Amino acid sequence: MRQLGTACFIVIAYLTGMRPGEAAGLRSGCCPDPKPDSAGHTGRHLITSTVYKTASDEDGNHRPEGEVRDAPWMAIAPVVNAIRVLERMVAPGQLLFDHHAHDLRGTRAGTGSLTVHTLGTRVEDFITWANHEAAARGLVHEVIPPDPHGRIGTERFRRSLAWHIARRPGGLVALAIQYRHLRTSVAAGYAARSRDGIHDLLDVETARATIDTVADLNAAIEDGLGISGPAARRAIKAAATAPQYTGTVITARQARQILANPHLAVYDNPRTLLMCVYKRDKALCHRGLKDTPSLDQCVPACANIARTDQHATGLRLRATALDQQAGHVPGPLGERLPDNATRLRDLADTHHRTRISLQDATA
């Protein structure tokens, strides 16, 4: 039961982005099943939680009892399942991590939830238990490896989720929506009156994603990778700056400096099989109205586009897939698929005719 409760905390903390204290403050009934609308469609599960860190009264005094979060959390199926398990462990309306239900030895007096410190200790105990179970059953692939950065703790789930979301096209918007915060960049279409921890988190994750992109590009270029497109030389120049950042711990201040550096504005866009080397006055995705690109609105004729050998390979693979689909799709759609495949192959051919390497760029 102890490990089951810990597993539920891990799922909730990791897959929602809640602060540990907020997850520990959830109560039974916080995530009701959505009711279908008039058309029979069922909406998303939402979690109502209590926040403590920013809770204050009308005079600005901190409210230790917390306050209901003004916007609910989105809950995907594993999170809903974890909450349902916890609701079977506690009485209706009680804290999901009530220490009376989760501290089977009854070593602590009083009321309330398990503390964040206790939950952090239980996460480490869970790893030990899970590895023991995996070894006993010969499930080597299920072993949780040692973390090079030390204890997992509880805060790192939130940051890990942010890391993954921020590295997806449009990820910063998704991150702001899920965490219910907006970046302080009026030019980008968002506004906020003050900076707090989440804004620093967004900046750090954006900067890390940027450095990861240019570092990977730099390593590939040094190995002979070819690159084409109107922004090819700018991409090579940006990649050359990667070594000075590789392996360093990025602080919030450094992150803001990185994001303010126009020479590091490189965004890989796997969905469209190209790279955006962003320059605001050349952008066609939003006609130069924002400080960041709209990766879901890439325009093929944009002067910020660059494409690598890897992208060209991806174009050919996608073209082959379209040809295969065409044989199973009837009507006009089946006729259009081969045309799209031909267009993708033409883009790949153009890349190989016009590609340049590191030696060409420095010649």
Side-chain angles (χ1 to χ4, degrees):
M1 292 291 287
R2 173 187 171 114
Q3 306 302 349
L4 180 61
T6 305
C8 290
F9 170 79
I10 291 171
V11 170
I12 293 171
Y14 186 22
L15 298 182
T16 64
M18 289 185 189
R19 292 184 176 89
E22 195 169 349
L26 294 176
R27 291 183 177 274
S28 177
C30 65
C31 184
D33 290 328
K35 297 180 180 179
D37 58 21
S38 56
H41 301 298
T42 303
R44 295 176 179 271
H45 282 84
L46 301 177
I47 303 174
T48 301
S49 63
T50 302
V51 293
Y52 298 92
K53 182 177 180 181
T54 59
S56 59
D57 59 23
E58 58 184 11
D59 297 322
N61 299 315
H62 179 65
R63 297 175 57 189
E65 73 277 13
E67 61 186 9
V68 176
R69 196 170 189 258
D70 58 357
W73 293 93
M74 291 287 186
I76 60 176
V79 175
V80 177
N81 293 339
I83 290 175
R84 295 293 178 263
V85 169
L86 291 169
E87 287 176 333
R88 296 178 62 182
M89 299 170 67
V90 300
Q94 295 299 308
L95 292 163
L96 293 181
F97 293 98
D98 183 273
H99 83 90
H100 287 299
H102 292 271
D103 187 357
L104 304 181
R105 298 176 181 174
T107 56
R108 183 184 136 196
T111 61
S113 174
L114 295 175
T115 66
V116 172
H117 173 75
T118 297
L119 287 168
T121 300
R122 292 193 175 199
V123 168
E124 298 300 319
D125 292 344
F126 178 84
I127 293 173
T128 301
W129 172 82
N131 286 344
H132 180 270
E133 293 294 313
R137 288 161 173 75
L139 303 175
V140 180
H141 62 285
E142 296 286 351
V143 172
I144 302 170
D147 193 294
H149 300 288
R151 297 178 71 254
I152 300 298
T154 56
E155 295 285 351
R156 289 171 61 185
F157 292 116
R158 178 177 168 86
R159 298 190 68 91
S160 296
L161 178 65
W163 188 96
H164 287 289
I165 295 177
R167 280 155 176 74
R168 301 292 299 168
L172 291 177
V173 176
L175 188 60
I177 291 172
Q178 177 64 3
Y179 284 21
R180 291 299 190 271
H181 290 269
L182 299 177
R183 285 198 63 196
T184 52
S185 177
V186 176
Y190 315 120
R193 296 184 179 181
S194 64
R195 300 191 64 86
D196 62 11
I198 190 64
H199 297 296
D200 286 344
L201 172 63
L202 290 172
D203 284 345
V204 169
E205 294 306 330
T206 307
R208 285 175 175 168
T210 298
I211 296 305
D212 286 349
T213 298
V214 295
D216 291 344
L217 179 62
N218 182 62
I221 288 175
E222 290 185 346
D223 287 339
L225 180 84
I227 188 167
S228 68
R233 293 183 182 274
R234 283 194 282 131
I236 293 175
K237 183 178 179 181
T241 65
Q244 63 182 293
Y245 299 104
T246 303
T248 60
V249 177
I250 298 177
T251 64
R253 180 179 179 181
Q254 290 171 326
R256 290 191 286 273
Q257 293 174 344
I258 291 171
L259 297 178
N261 186 345
H263 300 299
L264 291 176
V266 181
Y267 304 82
D268 194 15
N269 195 352
R271 185 171 59 183
T272 55
L273 293 171
L274 55 80
M275 184 173 289
C276 175
V277 188
Y278 188 72
K279 201 169 185 179
R280 178 173 174 171
D281 59 349
K282 297 179 181 293
L284 297 182
C285 54
H286 46 62
R287 302 294 177 181
L289 299 177
K290 299 180 182 179
D291 290 329
T292 55
S294 297
L295 295 179
D296 58 341
Q297 300 179 35
C298 284
V299 180
C302 184
N304 288 333
I305 283 177
R307 186 169 277 122
T308 68
D309 292 342
Q310 296 167 345
H311 292 136
T313 299
L315 288 171
R316 295 190 185 280
L317 291 174
R318 188 170 294 178
T320 300
L322 292 178
D323 283 337
Q324 293 172 346
Q325 292 177 28
H328 303 282
V329 179
L333 180 58
E335 297 172 1
R336 289 197 297 269
L337 290 177
D339 293 337
N340 288 335
T342 299
R343 179 180 60 83
L344 295 180
R345 290 192 179 93
D346 289 343
L347 289 174
D349 291 340
T350 299
H351 164 78
H352 286 292
R353 287 197 308 270
T354 60
R355 66 189 287 276
I356 61 174
S357 63
L358 177 62
Q359 290 73 21
D360 298 324
T362 56

